[in-house]
Amino acid sequence: MLVFEKEVTEWMHPGLYRVEQAGSHRLSADEVVSLVAETLPAGVKVKGVVVDSDPRSTYRVNLSKPKHAALFVDPYTGKVVGKYERLPFFHTMFRLHRWLLDSRPKDGEGIFWGKMIVGISTLMFVLALVSGVMVWWPRNKRILKDSLKLPLRKGRFRFWRGIHVAGGMYVLVLLLVMALTGLTWSFGWFREWFYEFFGTDKRTVYAIHVGSFGGLPTRILWFLGALMGALLPLTGYYLWVRRLLRRRRGNRPEHLDRNHRE
C-alpha cells in the first residue's frame, strides 16, 4: 500500500502538486528558497527544494522541522499553495508497517515492543526464505525447470503449491532485499554494519527498500513482490493444514520433497 502513497496523495490533493496553467518563466530553486525563507518562523530552515521536470508541477520545499514538513510553491509566482500532510490512511499503514500501531515509549525509556516484534519477525522471515530455498533446491536441472512452472489445470492443491514454491522462488531476491534493508530501521547494530559493509546511506537504503530508485516500473515490481510475500504464509499454512487433515483421515500424507512428488 505504501508503495503508491505518492500517486494516491497527488490524486486526492491535485491542487498541491500541480498548477492550473504553466507560465512562461519558472523561478529558480534559489529564488524559491529566498521567498519561502522570509515566511518561516524562527528556528525553521529550508532543507531543500524538489523540482519536477513537468512544467505544471509545483515545487516542494522541505523544511527542517517538524519532521517531514514541506510546503508546495507555485513555480511561476512563488506563492505557497499549501503544506504537506500525510493522509490518515497512509499514516496508519506506516505505523502498522513499522511498529504494529504501537507508540514509542515516553522519554525513550522502556522497550518499544511494536518495533521489536517487527524486527524479530523480519529476522525470522529472512531465515524462513533461506531455509525454504535449502529444502526446495532440486537435484537436477529438469526438476528445477518443472519446479518453476505454475500448474493451472492440475487441481487446487497443485495450484496453491505452485504459488508457494514457484511464486516464492521468483520473488525470493526481492523479498530478501526488502527484509534486509528493512532491518536497518529495527536494529541499530544491524544498521551500522549494513551501512559500513555496503558503503551506503539511509537515503539509498530507503530507495531500495521501497523500490523507488527506478521510478514507477520498479515500484510496481516491488508491489507485486510484496504481494507474493504476503501470500507465502497463507499458502504455506494451507498446505500444512491439508497434510494434517489427510493424516487424521488415515491417508498417506502428501510430501513436498525435493522431487516435488505427491
Side-chain angles (χ1 to χ4, degrees):
M1 294 181 181
L2 292 171
V3 165
F4 297 113
E5 179 178 2
K6 180 177 181 290
E7 284 75 16
V8 174
T9 303
E10 290 183 4
W11 177 71
M12 292 289 292
H13 300 291
L16 293 179
Y17 294 88
R18 297 178 67 83
V19 294
E20 294 184 0
Q21 186 175 0
S24 58
H25 172 69
R26 286 206 299 181
L27 300 173
S28 67
D30 291 336
E31 290 174 321
V32 170
V33 169
S34 299
L35 291 172
V36 172
E38 295 176 355
T39 66
L40 298 178
V44 180
K45 299 180 179 179
V46 175
K47 291 178 58 179
V49 180
V50 179
V51 179
D52 195 286
S53 59
D54 188 343
R56 291 188 58 191
S57 295
T58 57
Y59 288 172
R60 173 172 171 148
V61 181
N62 296 321
L63 306 180
S64 59
K65 59 182 180 180
K67 193 173 183 180
H68 303 304
L71 298 175
F72 294 95
V73 179
D74 188 314
Y76 301 100
T77 64
K79 178 182 177 181
V80 175
V81 297
K83 64 180 181 178
Y84 172 75
E85 291 182 339
R86 196 169 206 172
L87 296 176
F89 172 78
F90 287 109
H91 179 70
T92 301
M93 290 296 100
F94 178 80
R95 293 185 63 239
L96 179 64
H97 178 65
R98 289 285 301 277
W99 310 306
L100 297 179
L101 300 180
D102 192 13
S103 298
R104 190 182 301 274
K106 295 181 179 179
D107 302 324
E109 298 180 358
I111 300 176
F112 197 169
W113 285 109
K115 180 179 178 180
M116 182 65 67
I117 293 172
V118 169
I120 294 175
S121 300
T122 306
L123 280 173
M124 295 175 64
F125 184 52
V126 172
L127 294 176
L129 290 172
V130 175
S131 61
V133 174
M134 297 173 64
V135 172
W136 167 85
W137 196 258
R139 296 178 180 176
N140 54 57
K141 292 182 178 180
R142 182 186 62 81
I143 298 178
L144 172 62
K145 183 178 180 180
D146 292 339
S147 300
L148 294 177
K149 294 179 180 179
L150 182 61
L152 300 176
R153 300 179 181 179
K154 296 185 179 181
R156 184 170 57 183
F157 174 76
R158 283 182 173 271
F159 172 76
W160 288 115
R161 189 180 69 175
I163 290 289
H164 186 79
V165 178
M169 287 306 302
Y170 282 126
V171 299
L172 172 66
V173 174
L174 287 182
L175 294 178
L176 282 174
V177 168
M178 295 178 201
L180 292 174
T181 53
L183 283 173
T184 61
W185 282 277
S186 295
F187 303 109
W189 58 268
F190 183 84
R191 177 170 57 251
E192 294 177 3
W193 172 84
F194 192 91
Y195 287 0
E196 182 177 356
F197 184 82
F198 290 101
T200 186
D201 54 23
K202 182 177 180 179
R203 179 176 298 182
T204 303
V205 171
Y206 177 80
I208 295 175
H209 182 68
V210 301
S212 62
F213 61 91
L216 185 60
T218 52
R219 286 192 289 124
I220 292 176
L221 182 62
W222 256 239
F223 165 77
L224 295 175
L227 182 63
M228 179 57 68
L231 289 176
L232 289 179
L234 300 179
T235 53
Y237 278 123
Y238 168 76
L239 300 175
W240 176 62
V241 170
R242 182 184 173 96
R243 288 197 298 269
L244 289 180
L245 293 177
R246 287 182 63 88
R247 289 176 182 176
R248 289 182 179 180
R249 290 197 297 265
N251 295 333
R252 184 177 179 178
E254 295 170 323
H255 293 287
L256 295 176
D257 59 13
R258 294 185 178 181
N259 295 327
H260 301 283
R261 296 180 299 213
E262 296 184 36

